[in-house]
Amino acid sequence: MAAIKEGSKAPDFTGTDQNGNTVSLKDFKGSKVVLYFYPKDDTPGCTAQACNLRDNYSHLLKKGLKVIGISTDSVKSHKKFETKYELPFPLIADEDKQIVEQYGVYGEKTFMGKTHMGTIRTTFLIDEEGNVFKVLDKPDTKNQTEQVFEAWGI
């Protein structure tokens, strides 16, 4: 469960995207934002989620939604991921885990019976004022856009 609650102010952050650009949440004030945290570049679930958002990107933009992806992978890893799948939105590298910890999405996970620390897949829908409108704790990687539209009621 994400530490950030619906209705609260989304914590501002600044990070570097796959193209070396500095991206801050405050840059998106006045827009609705789909901020999605994912565990790892180029893995099956993360690829399905990113490609679903890519395939529906023009629809998201038409509805006034901006997309930002964040994982603890490096800028170089994000660039390979973006290039391989032609992703049209910023992927922020959070190698020092500051943003994932700020949003409460870094924690203990179990995979194939083994416990480890990692990013817990979570999507935050942030309104034009920078408030968390909705937290999707269990994003459907193959139907992320549909979940987003349903949550916003659009």
Side-chain angles (χ1 to χ4, degrees), residues 18-32:
Q18 71 272 27
N19 296 311
N21 298 318
T22 299
V23 178
S24 295
L25 183 60
K26 66 178 175 266
D27 299 340
F28 295 85
K29 191 159 176 65
S31 298
K32 291 178 178 172

Side-chain angles (χ1 to χ4, degrees), residues 35-53:
L35 177 64
Y36 82 100
F37 290 88
Y38 65 99
K40 191 145 185 60
D41 290 337
D42 211 4
T43 55
C46 298
T47 300
Q49 186 175 24
C51 290
N52 176 269
L53 291 165

Side-chain angles (χ1 to χ4, degrees), residues 34-148:
V34 177
L35 177 64
Y36 82 100
F37 290 88
Y38 65 99
K40 191 145 185 60
D41 290 337
D42 211 4
T43 55
C46 298
T47 300
Q49 186 175 24
C51 290
N52 176 269
L53 291 165
R54 175 204 64 201
D55 293 347
N56 294 285
Y57 194 60
S58 64
H59 301 299
L60 289 157
L61 290 177
K62 281 181 194 151
K63 300 289 186 185
L65 302 172
K66 309 285 187 189
V67 177
I68 307 169
I70 299 180
S71 87
T72 57
D73 289 319
S74 68
V75 169
K76 185 177 174 186
S77 175
H78 282 345
K79 187 62 185 172
K80 278 177 62 179
F81 189 43
E82 175 222 33
T83 301
K84 184 174 181 179
Y85 295 102
E86 300 178 358
L87 303 176
F89 42 81
L91 299 174
I92 296 176
D94 186 26
E95 290 182 271
D96 61 6
K97 300 173 181 65
Q98 282 190 330
I99 304 169
V100 291
E101 288 180 356
Q102 196 177 6
Y103 274 79
V105 297
Y106 190 79
E108 204 171 87
K109 298 169 52 167
T110 304
F111 182 69
M112 294 177 69
K114 292 189 173 145
T115 302
H116 66 282
M117 296 297 286
T119 302
I120 299 159
R121 186 185 314 280
T122 311
T123 300
F124 294 87
L125 305 182
I126 301 168
D127 70 16
E128 298 90 339
E129 300 303 312
N131 298 311
V132 176
F133 173 75
K134 185 90 175 149
V135 179
L136 303 174
D137 283 322
K138 301 251 187 260
D140 180 345
T141 57
K142 291 184 176 86
N143 296 297
Q144 177 74 103
T145 304
E146 293 81 350
Q147 270 188 312
V148 166

